[in-house]
Each structure stands twice: as structure tokens, then as C-alpha cells.
């Protein structure tokens, strides 16, 4: 704390002497409590009254004063009759210390008085395309009346890059199928996912209830953000010993839906995507012909902002707008 004091100009002799003294002490010992004691003594000019002001016992104030005298190599307060008179050194420090304490007090009040209606901040959200299409419109609508000065900046991320982007503060939090167990991150589940299929009924003559036989015989279009054609569904297919013919793989689900509209392909996608967007491409939707359960969508954030008011508030809004919808 002492390193940020704004002190009046001193002559070079005093400045050199101060730096030399501070170099001999561990600055961690010069904590905020010592500044509080100093400020109370400046205001009360009495150890007893300063102790009452701080709601501590008198010996505690006397001990802190002794520590201050040792650190700063000055008596700071000299007893004159019933009063403790500040030395010139104490007077030179008083304004700077008072300012530091006032700034700390205002900072604490600001943190406690978080008001989303007044908050001017840009939140950077890491997600992939399907989550971005889901979340950003809902969140923008939700914030319009509750936090009109907040701004949203969506950034593309993936399970492979999310930890690095959170660590270097490229994003404030991430929403997706992220499951890091590292202690520097926190996670909260938003909603579970299951699979549905869709296809163009003009190009594929499938029954309304899609059978596993038809599914195996078809050519497929899948979302993949990796080098594998099967993407995140590879594990699901392995669990059911499904060997499928993947004709098209792309990182964007809209590209997959557009491909299925124009070619005799079947797409396997998260349920909420099919329910929301298949009709836009005039596609027939149906249940996947096998048991399936994808990892849940979570919100993940760095642990050091766990209790930061604005970050905590917007995470709660994300939980609120996704709860019960998907």
C-alpha cells in the first residue's frame, strides 16, 4: 500500500533516507491496518480515543504506533500534555494516507453497490456457432431492459482453446460442452442435450419413425470442429458400434442444414438445433434411432472472478434465460 501514497515533494536527503529504510523491510508488513491506526491518531491526537474509534484495545494501537515508528524511523506522534502531537514527518504523510484510505473505502462501496442498470462493461463470451446462435439473441433481449449499458462480444472457442482464452483474458467466460476439472476454473451446468435427425423428404424417402437400418444405409452430414469427420459424435457412434458414411462435415451447423436441404443426406444434431432451425430449410425432423445423451452445456469461468459482482450477475442471467427452455 505504501508504494501508492501521493506525498508532498521532499528534499533529496529525506527521499534517499526513506527509500533506504523501506529497502530493509518486507513491505507486506506495512498493511492497511497500520494506515488506519495512523489516520485515527491524526484525527484524535490520543491513543485512547484512537482505540475507541477503531474499536480495538489501547495496547493494539500502541503496538501499531511502535511498528510505524520502526518502519518510518520517526516518532510520528509525541506526547505533549494530554495530546499526541504529530511530527513534521507525520504531517507530510497525513494527506497521502488519508487519500489512500478514502480511495479504498470508495472502491469497496462501489463493489458492494453494483447496479446492472448503470454498469458499462463489455462481456466477452467464448462459444461455438450453435451456442452463439442460441445464446446471444436471448441474452441481448434479456439485457435490453435489465442492463441497457452492457455490451456483448462473442468469440469463437473450442474445448481445445477455451482454457488458454480464459487464462489470457481473451474471454470472460465460456458457454458450451466444456468440462475442465482444473481448480482455476469454475463450471455450472445449464442444460442437457440429446440428438435428433433431419433430412429433405423430397430427396430421401424415409419413414416418419427412422429405423436404425435406414440410418446406417444413408449418407450423413455432421458438425465437426476437429480433423475427424465425426466430430463430437464419434464417441456416441462408437458406443453403439455404428459405422456410418459421412459425406459432409463442417464446423457450422447452418452449413450442414443447407447441405441437407440440397442433397440426399441425413443430419444428426442436438435436439434444440433441429427443433428450431430444420423448418427453415423445409426439412423433416425425427428422433435418432438409438439411445443417446450428449455432455451437458455448461458455463465456465476463471475462479478468481467467482464473486465479482458483475460477472456473477451476468452468469446468473444466463442460467435464468436457459433454464427450462432446452
Amino acid at each position: 500500500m505504501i508504494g501508492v501514497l501521493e506525498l508532498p515533494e521532499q528534499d533529496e536527503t529525506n527521499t534517499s533516507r526513506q527509500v533506504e529504510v523501506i529497502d530493509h523491510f518486507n513491505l507486506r508488513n506495512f498493511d492497511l491496518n497500520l494506515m488506519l491506526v495512523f489516520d485515527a491518531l491524526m484525527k484524535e491526537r490520543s491513543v485512547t480515543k484512537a482505540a475507541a474509534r477503531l474499536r480495538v484495545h489501547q495496547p493494539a494501537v500502541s503496538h501499531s504506533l511502535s511498528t510505524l515508528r520502526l518502519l518510518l524511523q520517526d516518532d510520528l506522534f509525541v506526547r505533549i500534555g494530554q495530546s499526541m502531537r504529530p511530527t513534521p514527518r507525520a504531517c507530510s504523510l497525513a494527506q497521502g494516507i488519508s487519500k489512500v484510505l478514502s480511495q479504498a473505502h470508495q472502491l469497496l462501496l462501489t463493489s458492494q453497490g453494483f447496479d446492472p442498470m448503470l454498469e458499462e462493461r463489455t462481456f466477452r463470451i467464448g462459444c461455438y456457432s450453435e451456442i452463439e446462435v442460441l445464446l446471444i439473441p436471448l441474452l441481448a433481449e434479456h439485457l435490453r431492459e435489465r442492463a441497457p449499458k452492457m455490451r456483448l462480444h462473442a468469440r469463437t472457442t473450442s474445448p481445445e482453446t477455451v482454457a488458454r482464452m480464459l487464462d489470457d483474458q481473451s474471454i470472460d467466460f465460456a458457454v458450451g460442452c466444456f468440462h475442465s476439472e482444473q481448480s482455476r476454473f469454475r463450471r455450472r451446468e445449464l442444460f442437457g442435450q440429446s440428438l435428433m435427425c433431419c433430412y429433405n423428404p423430397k430427396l430421401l424417402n424415409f419413414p416418419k419413425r427412422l429405423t436404425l437400418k435406414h440410418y446406417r444405409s444413408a449418407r450423413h452430414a455432421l458438425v465437426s470442429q476437429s480433423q475427424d469427420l465425426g466430430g463430437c459424435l464419434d464417441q456416441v457412434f462408437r458406443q453403439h458400434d455404428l459405422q456410418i458414411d459421412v459425406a459432409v462435415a463442417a464446423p457450422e451447423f447452418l452449413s450442414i442444414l443447407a447441405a441437407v436441404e440440397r442433397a440426399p443426406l441425413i443430419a444428426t444434431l442436438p435436439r434444440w438445433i433441429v427443433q428450431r432451425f430444420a423448418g427453415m430449410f423445409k426439412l423433416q425432423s425425427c428422433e435418432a434411432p438409438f439411445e443417446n445423451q450428449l455432455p451437458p452445456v455448461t458455463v465456465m469461468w476463471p475462479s478468481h472472478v467467482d464473486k465479482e459482482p458483475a460477472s456473477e450477475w451476468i452468469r446468473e442471467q444466463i442460467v435464468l434465460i436457459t433454464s427450462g427452455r432446452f
Side-chain angles (χ1 to χ4, degrees):
M1 294 295 292
I2 195 170
V4 299
L5 293 178
E6 297 183 13
L7 305 178
E9 292 186 4
Q10 302 177 13
D11 62 66
E12 291 183 344
T13 302
N14 286 342
T15 302
S16 300
R17 176 169 169 268
Q18 180 185 2
V19 171
E20 183 181 352
V21 171
I22 292 175
D23 285 346
H24 286 78
F25 288 92
N26 188 334
L27 287 179
R28 286 177 297 181
N29 291 329
F30 204 105
D31 61 21
L32 184 62
N33 289 326
L34 293 177
M35 292 189 179
L36 291 170
V37 170
F38 178 92
D39 190 63
L41 285 169
M42 282 297 298
K43 289 180 168 63
E44 300 293 348
R45 309 297 172 93
S46 163
V47 172
T48 301
K49 292 180 180 179
R53 185 186 189 98
L54 296 170
R55 298 180 184 177
V56 299
H57 296 298
Q58 181 176 329
V61 174
S62 297
H63 176 74
S64 294
L65 178 56
S66 297
T67 302
L68 283 165
R69 285 169 170 167
L70 181 64
L71 285 170
L72 299 176
Q73 290 194 345
D74 189 272
D75 287 338
L76 297 177
F77 297 92
V78 179
R79 182 173 296 282
I80 305 293
Q82 299 297 314
S83 177
M84 299 291 288
R85 179 177 296 177
T87 66
R89 172 75 167 140
C91 291
S92 71
L93 290 169
Q95 184 176 359
I97 288 178
S98 179
K99 184 175 182 179
V100 167
L101 293 176
S102 177
Q103 289 173 339
H105 181 65
Q106 289 301 317
L107 180 62
L108 292 174
L109 287 179
T110 300
S111 298
Q112 293 173 351
F114 166 74
D115 184 349
M117 291 295 293
L118 302 177
E119 185 75 11
E120 296 187 36
R121 179 167 172 178
T122 299
F123 278 101
R124 295 157 300 173
I125 307 170
C127 49
Y128 27 87
S129 62
E130 59 265 37
I131 299 298
E132 180 182 330
V133 171
L134 160 71
L135 181 63
I136 297 302
L138 293 175
L139 191 54
E141 179 185 19
H142 184 79
L143 295 181
R144 182 178 60 183
E145 294 182 355
R146 295 167 178 82
K149 296 184 179 181
M150 283 189 187
R151 296 172 293 274
L152 304 174
H153 182 187
R155 301 284 308 277
T156 300
T157 190
S158 67
E160 293 74 30
T161 62
V162 64
R164 174 184 58 78
M165 294 182 75
L166 288 169
D167 284 338
D168 66 19
Q169 299 182 342
S170 299
I171 55 177
D172 297 299
F173 55 88
V175 178
C177 298
F178 305 125
H179 302 283
S180 173
E181 298 299 331
Q182 299 177 72
S183 60
R184 69 183 188 276
F185 300 126
R186 300 281 186 271
R187 290 189 301 111
R188 183 170 177 181
E189 184 174 323
L190 296 176
F191 56 90
Q193 295 191 100
S194 59
L195 296 171
M196 286 190 75
C197 299
C198 58
Y199 58 91
N200 188 337
K202 294 180 179 180
L203 302 177
L204 287 175
N205 186 22
F206 284 163
K208 275 194 173 183
R209 186 182 180 120
L210 186 66
T211 66
L212 197 55
K213 179 181 178 180
H214 285 95
Y215 189 84
R216 289 179 186 273
S217 66
R219 304 198 77 196
H220 293 259
L222 300 174
V223 170
S224 176
Q225 296 178 338
S226 66
Q227 294 182 350
D228 299 322
L229 288 175
C232 65
L233 296 184
D234 266 346
Q235 185 175 352
V236 175
F237 295 145
R238 284 197 299 270
Q239 287 175 351
H240 295 278
D241 194 26
L242 282 172
Q243 301 292 327
I244 62 171
D245 180 8
V246 180
V248 176
E252 305 291 337
F253 76 92
L254 289 175
S255 300
I256 296 300
L257 293 174
V260 170
E261 180 187 26
R262 301 178 69 87
L265 304 171
I266 185 168
T268 307
L269 296 164
R271 177 177 300 274
W272 70 264
I273 294 178
V274 174
Q275 290 178 335
R276 180 165 294 198
F277 295 103
M280 295 172 57
F281 293 85
K282 299 182 175 59
L283 303 179
Q284 175 69 47
S285 61
C286 57
E287 295 291 333
F290 51 88
E291 295 274 333
N292 64 84
Q293 191 68 41
L294 295 178
V297 172
T298 64
V299 55
M300 187 167 86
W301 65 93
S303 58
H304 71 271
V305 300
D306 198 30
K307 297 300 182 182
E308 196 272 317
S311 298
E312 190 174 18
W313 182 85
I314 195 147
R315 292 195 305 267
E316 288 299 324
Q317 306 314 299
I318 291 173
V319 172
L320 180 64
I321 65 175
T322 57
S323 177
R325 285 177 177 258
F326 308 101

